[in-house]
Amino acid sequence: MRAALGSYDRGHTAVSQLKPGDIDWDQVFGKQGARWFHTGGIFCALSHTTPEVTLEAMQAARRYGTVVSYDLNYRASLWKSHGGKKQAQDVNRRIAPFVDVMLGNEEDFSAALGYEVPGMDEYHSTFEVEGFKQMIGKVVKEHPFQVVATTLRKAKTATQNDWGAICYSDGNFYQAKKPGES
């Protein structure tokens, strides 16, 4: 059985046309006082300009002490027209120094940042939580993230999945309880 497949039809949307300078980030973070800024890999994959808009926003957020979260959300179908996996990794590694809270799934950290998860098979169906902890340990040594969280999904069928999650914060790991655990 294969996992479910999605389609991302965002080509030529208004947001994909944004360029640096189009948004007054000092107004958003300084004058209006936004306290949290969230974006991710799907936005960055929309065009050649959206990664620069992301960097501009994150740098402004930093100036005002705004928390920045980023969901890697690697989608090969979006990145293929903008340099593929290599470009996604380059973009995400440029963005990473400005991120406080990094989110991803079982594929994102390897595809979007270039970190392999020990014990993960090529179909992302076999893995151990310890492998994710090892990978996150490497990630936080290189990047100053305050929090790193990842979902853990084992697809049983196209519509049925076993879900879990782990989170790293302040040197500690936290794991979601499985159904039935107390």
Side-chain angles (χ1 to χ4, degrees), residues 17-106:
Q17 307 305 307
L18 283 176
K19 297 181 296 306
D22 285 350
I23 296 173
D24 183 350
W25 297 112
D26 290 318
Q27 173 73 26
V28 173
F29 300 120
K31 294 180 182 149
Q32 294 179 350
R35 297 180 308 188
W36 196 295
F37 176 71
H38 178 78
T39 190
I42 290 176
F43 175 71
C44 286
L46 294 180
S47 71
H48 293 291
T49 60
T50 50
E52 300 310 316
V53 172
T54 297
L55 282 165
E56 177 185 64
M58 289 178 169
Q59 290 167 350
R62 274 286 156 95
R63 287 194 301 273
Y64 293 99
T66 302
V67 175
V68 174
S69 60
Y70 187 81
D71 191 334
L72 290 163
N73 267 330
Y74 178 76
R75 301 296 184 266
S77 61
L78 292 175
W79 282 102
K80 72 180 177 185
S81 62
H82 303 293
K85 189 185 290 187
K86 168 88 170 76
Q87 181 64 15
Q89 289 177 2
D90 290 348
V91 164
N92 288 314
R93 285 185 172 270
R94 285 178 43 225
I95 287 169
F98 302 99
V99 175
D100 300 304
V101 179
M102 181 63 82
L103 308 169
N105 68 20
E106 64 274 4

Side-chain angles (χ1 to χ4, degrees), residues 129-170:
V129 172
E130 192 56 40
F132 277 90
K133 289 180 179 181
Q134 289 174 25
M135 180 272 303
I136 289 171
K138 290 177 186 174
V139 169
V140 297
K141 281 182 182 174
E142 189 172 330
H143 303 288
F145 305 136
Q146 294 172 21
V147 175
V148 178
T150 183
T151 55
L152 306 171
R153 178 179 71 152
K154 289 185 181 179
K156 292 180 175 183
T157 69
T159 58
Q160 190 178 32
N161 300 280
D162 283 340
W163 286 99
I166 60 171
C167 177
Y168 169 89
S169 177
D170 293 327

